[in-house]
Amino acid sequence: MAAEQTFIMIKPDGVQRGLIGEVISRFEKKGFYLKAMKLQNVEKSFAEQHYADLSSKPFFGGLVEYIVSGPVVAMVWEGKSVVATGRKIIGATNPLASEPGTIRGDFAVDIGRNVIHGSDSVENARKEIALWFPEGLAEWSSSQHCWVY
Ligand code: RTP
């Protein structure tokens, strides 16, 4: 099995709306493995670092305010093609364009309150995991591996 990993964050609206279990459930039931998870408030400078690539966008200030507005759930998920497949599970950036059955398609309306973040490439996943989990990931191998792969 390829040990690809992605960084997933449940944004403050997802936490406040009680969607933590729903998000975890979707990734878990698909067959991906949770490698790290924490609930935390984020400093403004940290949010700016996470979204540094978007710093020139007009919505950057509002995006940072949104991310620091309440606790987020940061997670690392592992599995075959988890970066691209995770993005499919999440749905399009604008929830009104997200397909029903995706997280954003099922639970969001506004692009500025789109519940969840997922890494958009393996390279960015590596960077985001290093930023959010400098302490490292959990060491475990599920006994269910042979039933997924
Ligand atoms: P994310 O990084 O959060 O997973 O989202 P994404 O790749 O689907 O979209 P991206 O273009 O990287 O934008 C990051 C987040 O910025 C907010 N956004 N607001 N007001 C706007 O036009 C606008 N555009 C983007 C969204 O919260 C988006 O998820």
Side-chain angles (χ1 to χ4, degrees):
M1 183 201 99
E4 186 172 300
Q5 294 172 340
T6 193
F7 173 71
I8 299 293
M9 170 177 56
I10 305 174
K11 296 175 178 177
D13 52 330
V15 173
Q16 299 289 348
R17 293 178 53 202
L19 295 173
I20 297 171
E22 179 72 37
V23 169
I24 290 173
S25 180
R26 289 183 181 215
F27 277 82
E28 208 170 32
K29 285 178 187 165
K30 174 69 176 168
F32 293 135
Y33 296 104
L34 184 61
K35 295 291 291 185
M37 179 167 72
K38 56 190 174 189
L39 174 74
Q40 67 174 83
N41 292 93
V42 176
E43 296 287 338
K44 190 171 179 225
S45 58
F46 189 88
E48 286 170 347
Q49 207 179 334
H50 172 78
Y51 278 121
D53 290 351
L54 300 175
S55 61
S56 62
K57 301 284 184 189
F59 57 82
F60 183 69
L63 173 59
V64 169
E65 289 306 312
Y66 163 43
I67 296 303
V68 304
S69 65
V72 301
V73 175
M75 296 178 282
V76 176
W77 287 88
E78 183 175 285
K80 191 173 181 181
S81 201
V82 69
V83 172
T85 307
R87 297 274 292 185
K88 282 188 195 161
I89 291 171
I90 288 170
T93 306
N94 183 347
L96 295 181
S98 302
E99 294 296 326
T102 65
I103 292 170
R104 288 170 175 162
D106 287 349
F107 301 113
V109 174
D110 193 297
I111 194 167
R113 296 289 183 271
N114 61 0
V115 174
I116 185 167
H117 159 82
S119 306
D120 61 6
S121 67
V122 172
E123 175 63 16
N124 281 339
R126 236 178 260 125
K127 285 184 199 161
E128 291 170 4
I129 291 167
L131 176 67
W132 286 80
F133 291 97
E135 68 273 28
L137 312 179
E139 291 288 337
W140 74 296
S141 179
S142 171
S143 59
Q144 292 185 47
H145 249 119
C146 63
W147 301 108
V148 177
Y149 296 97

